[in-house]
C-alpha cells in the first residue's frame, strides 16, 4: 500500500483527543490514516510539503440535490413558489437518465474542487431505475465518497393521476440497488432513502416508506419545511414514534417551521438535523434551526441544498451558519434589553457540524469526519499564502470565517489524490467535454420546458 506523508502543516484534526498540531504531520497508508503527530519518523513513498498549509478533514455536505448543477444560479432571484413551479413541475420532468448523469458528475466534481470529500446526494428527480443507475455512475466516476439518497420525482399530477403524496417509495428500485451494486455499506458510494416524510405524504405512505428503509437497513431522510396549514399531515411524528420508526437512522432537512414542542419530540427520539442556512435565509420565512436545535443538544450537520438558488460552497455555508448564529443571539439579547454578549457558537463548533456532524448524520462517523488514526484518508489541504487568507492566527477561524474553494490546494479521498496543486486530477480534456455536455443538456431542457432566460 502506498504511504504518503504530509509534512509540517497546521493540522486541524477535529479529534478532541489529539487537537490541533502546528507544524504537524499526517501519514496515510493506502486508504487509511496511519499516524498523526509532530516530526513523525516514518518511511513514505511520497512526501507532501504542507508548509503554509492547513491540513484538515474533508468537508461533509450532508444535503444536496446534485443533479441540479446545470441550473446553478438560475433561480437566485425567484419569488416564493417559483422553484417548485419551474423546477419540479416543469424542468425536472424533462430530465433523462443521461441528463441526471451529467448533472451529478459535474456537481460532484465541483464539490471535490471545493474541499468536500463526502456528499449526501439527495436525488429527488428519479422516475425509473435507469435514472438512478446513471446518477450512481456519475458519483463513482467523480471519485467522491457519497451516500446516494434515492428519491422520487414530484411532478404536478395531470387529471386522473395520483398525487405524489399518495405514492409509496418504489420498493422494486430499492431492492434492485440494495441487492445489486449498492449491497455493501463498505463501498465509496452507499445507499440511503430520500423519502417524502410526514409533511408531504399521507399517513399510510409515510409509515410504509420508513418501514422500507428499516427493512433494508438504510438511513432515511426527508424534507421538513412547510408551515402549519400547508402540510399533508399536520403532525405525523407521534405515529412514527409509536411504530418505533424514529431514531438516529433518520435525518430531517430544514425544520425551520417546527414548533418547539415538535422539535423537542423529534430530538428526544435521536433524529438528526441538517440545516441548509444559505438556502433557508433566502427562501424560508422562519429562521434556520441551528440555534434552537443546538441549544437542545441536537446532532447537527450542514448542507448546500439547491444550487439553482445558492452557491455550492461549503465554506460559504459554514460562514453563513456562523454569522446567522451570532445574529440570532444578538437579536435575542436585544429583545431582552441586553447588550451583545460573548459569542455563543464558536468557529470550531461550526466546523464540527460540517465534518463530524455530517458524518454522524450518514452514520459514517466511525470512518470519516476527523483525522483519527484508523479512519479513512479523507483530507484537505488549504493554501494559506493567498493575501485574503494570510496570516493565520487560529486555523479554525481561518477555515470557517475566511476560506473558500479557491484556497483548496489538495483533496484526498480514500487515500487517492482527487485534487493537487489547485487542480482536479480528473482528466482535464474529459472535464471540458463533460462541461459542454452539461450546457447542451440544460439548453435542451429549458427549451423543452417552454422557458427562456431569464426565467422569472
Amino acid at each position: 500500500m502506498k504511504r504518503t506523508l504530509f509534512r509540517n502543516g497546521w493540522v486541524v484534526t477535529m479529534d478532541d483527543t489529539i487537537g490541533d498540531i502546528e507544524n504537524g504531520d499526517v501519514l496515510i497508508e493506502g486508504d487509511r490514516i496511519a499516524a498523526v503527530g509532530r516530526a513523525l519518523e516514518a518511511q513514505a513513498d511520497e512526501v507532501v510539503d504542507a508548509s503554509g498549509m492547513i491540513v484538515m478533514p474533508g468537508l461533509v455536505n450532508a444535503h444536496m440535490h446534485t443533479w441540479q448543477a446545470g441550473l446553478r444560479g438560475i433561480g437566485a432571484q425567484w419569488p416564493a413558489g417559483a422553484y417548485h413551479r419551474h423546477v419540479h413541475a416543469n424542468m425536472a420532468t424533462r430530465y433523462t437518465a443521461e441528463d441526471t448523469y451529467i448533472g451529478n458528475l459535474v456537481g460532484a466534481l465541483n464539490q471535490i474542487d471545493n474541499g468536500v470529500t463526502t456528499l449526501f446526494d439527495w436525488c429527488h428527480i428519479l422516475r425509473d431505475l435507469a435514472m438512478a443507475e446513471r446518477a450512481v455512475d456519475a458519483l463513482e466516476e467523480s471519485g467522491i465518497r457519497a451516500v446516494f439518497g434515492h428519491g422520487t420525482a414530484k411532478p404536478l399530477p395531470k387529471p386522473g393521476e395520483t398525487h405524489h403524496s399518495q405514492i409509496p417509495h418504489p420498493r422494486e428500485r430499492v431492492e434492485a440497488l440494495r441487492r445489486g451494486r449498492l449491497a455493501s455499506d463498505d463501498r465509496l458510494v452507499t445507499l440511503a432513502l430520500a423519502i417524502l416524510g410526514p409533511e408531504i405524504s399521507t399517513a399510510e405512505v409515510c409509515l410504509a416508506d420508513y418501514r422500507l428503509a428499516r427493512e433494508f437497513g438504510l438511513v432515511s431522510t426527508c424534507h421538513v419545511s412547510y408551515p402549519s396549514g400547508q402540510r399533508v399531515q399536520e403532525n405525523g411524528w407521534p405515529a412514527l414514534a409509536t411504530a418505533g420508526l424514529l431514531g438516529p437512522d433518520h435525518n430531517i432537512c430544514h425544520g425551520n417551521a417546527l414548533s418547539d414542542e415538535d422539535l423537542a419530540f423529534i430530538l428526544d427520539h435521536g433524529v438528526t438535523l441538517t440545516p441548509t442556512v444559505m438556502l433557508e435565509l433566502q427562501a424560508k420565512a422562519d429562521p434556520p434551526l441551528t440555534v434552537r436545535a443546538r441549544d437542545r443538544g441536537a446532532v447537527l450537520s450542514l448542507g448546500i441544498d439547491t444550487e439553482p438558488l445558492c452557491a455550492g460552497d461549503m465554506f460559504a455555508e459554514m460562514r453563513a451558519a456562523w454569522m446567522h448564529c451570532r445574529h440570532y443571539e444578538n437579536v435575542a439579547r436585544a429583545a431582552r434589553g441586553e447588550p451583545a454578549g460573548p459569542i455563543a457558537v464558536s468557529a470550531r463548533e461550526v466546523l464540527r457540524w460540517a465534518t463530524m456532524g455530517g458524518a454522524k448524520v450518514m452514520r459514517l462517523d466511525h470512518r470519516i469526519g476527523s483525522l483519527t488514526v484508523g479512519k479513512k484518508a479523507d483530507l484537505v489541504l488549504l493554501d494559506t499564502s493567498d493575501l485574503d487568507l494570510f496570516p493565520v492566527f487560529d486555523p479554525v477561524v481561518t477555515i470557517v470565517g475566511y476560506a473558500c474553494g479557491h484556497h483548496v490546494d489538495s483533496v484526498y479521498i480514500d487515500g487517492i489524490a482527487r485534487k493537487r496543486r489547485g487542480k482536479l486530477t480528473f482528466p482535464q480534456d474529459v472535464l471540458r467535454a463533460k462541461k459542454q455536455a452539461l450546457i447542451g443538456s440544460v439548453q435542451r431542457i429549458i427549451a423543452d420546458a417552454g422557458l427562456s432566460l431569464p426565467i422569472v
Side-chain angles (χ1 to χ4, degrees), residues 111-261:
Q111 290 300 295
I112 296 172
D113 200 30
N114 282 277
V116 170
T117 55
T118 301
L119 170 67
F120 197 115
D121 176 31
W122 225 99
C123 198
H124 61 347
I125 193 178
L126 305 173
R127 299 189 301 274
D128 53 44
L129 183 59
M131 293 181 79
E133 295 279 10
R134 288 302 277 154
V136 174
D137 287 345
L139 296 173
E140 292 181 339
E141 186 176 343
S142 76
I144 202 165
R145 187 181 305 280
V147 175
F148 174 65
H150 180 283
T152 51
K154 298 165 183 64
L156 291 176
K158 298 176 182 177
E161 291 182 341
T162 303
H163 192 269
H164 62 257
S165 64
Q166 299 174 295
I167 302 174
H169 210 84
R171 181 186 184 88
E172 69 281 359
R173 277 188 245 158
V174 178
E175 287 183 334
L177 292 168
R178 189 59 166 159
R179 293 175 179 169
R181 68 192 296 184
L182 301 183
S184 172
D185 292 329
D186 293 327
R187 306 175 77 257
L188 199 63
V189 179
T190 56
L191 182 63
L193 292 194
I195 59 179
L196 296 173
E199 288 193 355
I200 51 177
S201 66
T202 63
E204 181 180 3
V205 167
C206 186
L207 288 167
D209 288 353
Y210 280 75
R211 286 179 176 133
L212 183 67
R214 280 284 176 86
E215 178 184 346
F216 285 93
L218 299 172
V219 169
S220 62
T221 175
C222 73
H223 288 117
V224 176
S225 58
Y226 289 92
S228 179
Q230 297 181 23
R231 304 165 183 167
V232 175
Q233 298 181 70
E234 189 56 40
N235 186 1
W237 303 110
L240 290 168
T242 299
L245 295 171
L246 287 184
D249 58 346
H250 184 58
N251 166 257
I252 67 172
C253 185
H254 308 311
N256 308 53
L258 285 170
S259 68
D260 287 343
E261 294 75 19

Side-chain angles (χ1 to χ4, degrees), residues 44 63 73 86 89 100 148 154 204 227 239 262 284-285 347 436 446:
H63 185 94
H86 290 316
T100 307
F148 174 65
K154 298 165 183 64
E204 181 180 3
D262 287 347
K284 307 294 181 186
Q436 287 301 310
I446 291 173

Side-chain angles (χ1 to χ4, degrees), residues 27 59 148 156 162 220 250 263 286 297 331 340 359 395 412 448:
L27 176 68
L59 296 173
F148 174 65
L156 291 176
T162 303
S220 62
H250 184 58
L263 176 60
D286 298 288
V331 170
Y412 286 75
D448 288 353

